[in-house]
Amino acid sequence: MHKLPDNIQPSRWKVGENGLEVQWLHDSHLSFYNWDFLETYIKGERPEPENVPLKYFGAAGHPDSSIEYEEFGKNERQAVGRLTDMIRRNGFALVTGVPTETAATTEDLLEKITFIRRTHYGGFYDFIPDLALADAAYTNEPLPVHTDNTYFSDPAGIQAFHLLSHTDPSSGGGSETTLGGETLLVDGFYAAELLRKECPDSFNTLASFRFPCHASGNEGIAISPDMLYPVLELDLDQNTVHRIRWNPNDRGVIPLGEDTMKWYEAEKKYHEILRREELVYQFQLKPGTVLIFDNWRVLHGRTAFTGMRRICGGYLNRDDFISRWRNTNFGKREIFRQVIGE
């Protein structure tokens, strides 16, 4: 028979084989709690999270990482479920066959997952290279792999890109394959596991040493997170990497102390792993294919390019993405078990 902790003293209760019946003082309302629900809280445990085995990727990408846009017209809920589950497990997904006549189609696709997050750059973006925006992303220079929003307390969980067009008027045309701008993706969680195996001390340093980040290149903008964070943020059990913050362009002054040189050595080792040929998935995005990826896990970059590229896309909040993933991949009872332990 189950026994309640001594410090729980409702007005009246009845302990039964299937659960606990409680009558409340203020309105005499009767509540019933089954033992499956109470077990977690009696033991002081957290509800069991989703058991999602992650599929690491390297230079070959993932064989199961794309979905046709037309699937969303046939069964939107099912298609969104497939898309979000690919991103959750694989780190990224490609939606092919997306119309390019207007960026609004891409915006609508992202909003099938959840609302688009606004930042100091705006909401849904549709841009060409523009140095006035004071960000390396708006140039045609190469971008080493990085995560976005390291300067936010809550970096955007999901990011999307759609190459609407890429031309070079000065050369009389050209194609995406000759103009450059290839996309680079690296599985940061996979790289972190390699770091843990090859150099545990460096892994522990990147998981513990905290440093400042900021966004202050634009007039009137001075953004920094609520506190200092490490490169590798671990889960509550301090075992699994939960989120990565990696963007040298956004870093502030590294704190000076007895562990500073250890951090630089660890940073150098992780940087070396991220650049390994077998880890970098390099491919050419083409108009009609939307890339959506986990910004907490996957580092992205690009090679240099010539000509004029028009890119659209946006950020999605992590919590809202996970909510949509749950509700399109699990039944109501399983969702409640994950969220509140019922």
Side-chain angles (χ1 to χ4, degrees):
M1 178 67 68
H2 293 270
K3 182 179 183 300
L4 286 177
D6 293 336
N7 60 346
I8 295 181
Q9 297 294 329
S11 63
R12 185 185 307 163
W13 70 86
K14 180 181 179 181
V15 177
E17 181 178 349
N18 297 320
L20 177 71
E21 184 180 276
V22 178
Q23 185 174 39
W24 301 100
L25 276 172
H26 67 286
D27 60 0
S28 298
H29 177 75
L30 287 175
S31 299
F32 180 80
Y33 306 91
N34 65 58
W35 291 119
D36 288 341
F37 172 78
L38 290 173
E39 194 75 23
T40 296
Y41 297 96
I42 291 174
K43 292 180 178 179
E45 298 174 350
R46 291 171 285 128
E48 183 180 345
E50 309 90 359
N51 182 19
V52 181
L54 302 183
K55 301 177 182 178
Y56 294 152
F57 69 87
H62 274 298
D64 178 27
S65 61
S66 65
I67 181 173
E68 285 285 341
Y69 177 71
E70 65 180 16
E71 295 300 316
F72 293 86
K74 297 176 181 177
N75 187 324
E76 180 175 312
R77 186 180 187 280
Q78 185 178 74
V80 171
R82 283 189 58 205
L83 173 64
T84 54
D85 201 55
M86 285 180 193
I87 299 168
R88 185 76 173 93
R89 297 173 189 276
N90 300 348
F92 73 93
L94 300 166
V95 183
T96 57
V98 181
T100 60
E101 290 80 6
T102 171
T105 306
T106 305
E107 184 175 12
D108 177 70
L109 171 64
L110 297 182
E111 289 180 337
K112 292 180 187 303
I113 303 175
T114 186
F115 64 90
I116 294 170
R117 175 172 173 171
R118 292 191 62 85
T119 71
H120 53 298
Y121 291 115
F124 181 78
Y125 47 75
D126 180 358
F127 68 91
I128 59 176
D130 185 358
L131 288 176
L133 294 174
D135 192 292
Y138 294 89
T139 72
N140 62 355
E141 298 298 318
L143 288 179
V145 294
H146 61 282
T147 61
D148 275 16
N149 302 163
T150 62
Y151 40 74
F152 287 149
S153 304
D154 176 30
I158 303 296
Q159 188 169 2
F161 291 122
H162 187 189
L163 176 68
L164 293 173
S165 63
H166 190 179
T167 58
D168 189 353
S170 65
S171 64
S175 65
E176 293 84 9
T177 56
T178 61
L179 298 176
E182 290 184 296
T183 295
L184 310 173
L185 297 181
V186 175
D187 191 334
F189 286 2
Y190 181 29
E193 282 304 303
L194 292 177
L195 179 66
R196 190 203 300 259
K197 293 177 182 178
E198 297 176 15
C199 191
D201 287 345
S202 291
F203 178 90
N204 292 334
T205 296
L206 292 188
S208 59
F209 189 98
R210 298 168 179 268
F211 59 92
C213 294
H214 66 96
S216 53
N218 299 91
E219 184 68 27
I221 299 298
I223 301 172
S224 59
D226 59 336
M227 63 181 188
L228 305 186
Y229 289 91
V231 169
L232 305 177
E233 294 180 60
L234 304 185
D235 62 11
L236 289 177
D237 297 324
Q238 295 296 294
N239 183 44
T240 303
V241 178
H242 175 65
R243 179 165 57 192
I244 295 174
R245 293 174 186 258
W246 181 270
N247 193 337
N249 290 337
D250 296 336
R251 287 179 193 155
V253 178
I254 302 301
L256 296 176
E258 58 182 24
D259 293 330
T260 302
M261 291 310 300
K262 287 177 59 179
W263 183 87
Y264 276 109
E265 291 169 1
E267 190 264 2
K268 181 180 179 181
K269 177 64 177 176
Y270 191 53
H271 178 71
E272 180 270 316
I273 293 175
L274 292 172
R275 291 171 56 88
R276 291 180 184 174
E277 184 176 341
E278 63 270 23
L279 262 67
V280 181
Y281 179 35
Q282 183 168 333
F283 61 100
Q284 183 69 61
L285 268 180
K286 295 180 179 297
T289 298
V290 177
L291 166 66
I292 310 176
F293 60 93
D294 184 342
N295 182 56
W296 287 14
R297 168 184 172 183
V298 176
L299 290 77
H300 69 282
R302 65 149 191 264
T303 63
F305 66 91
T306 58
M308 183 68 68
R309 296 200 328 164
R310 181 184 172 195
I311 294 278
C312 69
Y315 294 123
L316 307 179
N317 282 330
R318 169 77 173 192
D319 293 339
D320 300 284
F321 165 79
I322 293 295
S323 173
R324 186 69 164 136
W325 168 71
R326 285 186 180 127
N327 282 281
T328 53
N329 284 279
F330 301 97
K332 184 176 180 180
R333 183 169 181 82
E334 175 63 14
I335 293 172
F336 281 173
R337 186 191 64 78
Q338 295 170 2
V339 175
I340 63 175
E342 183 175 345

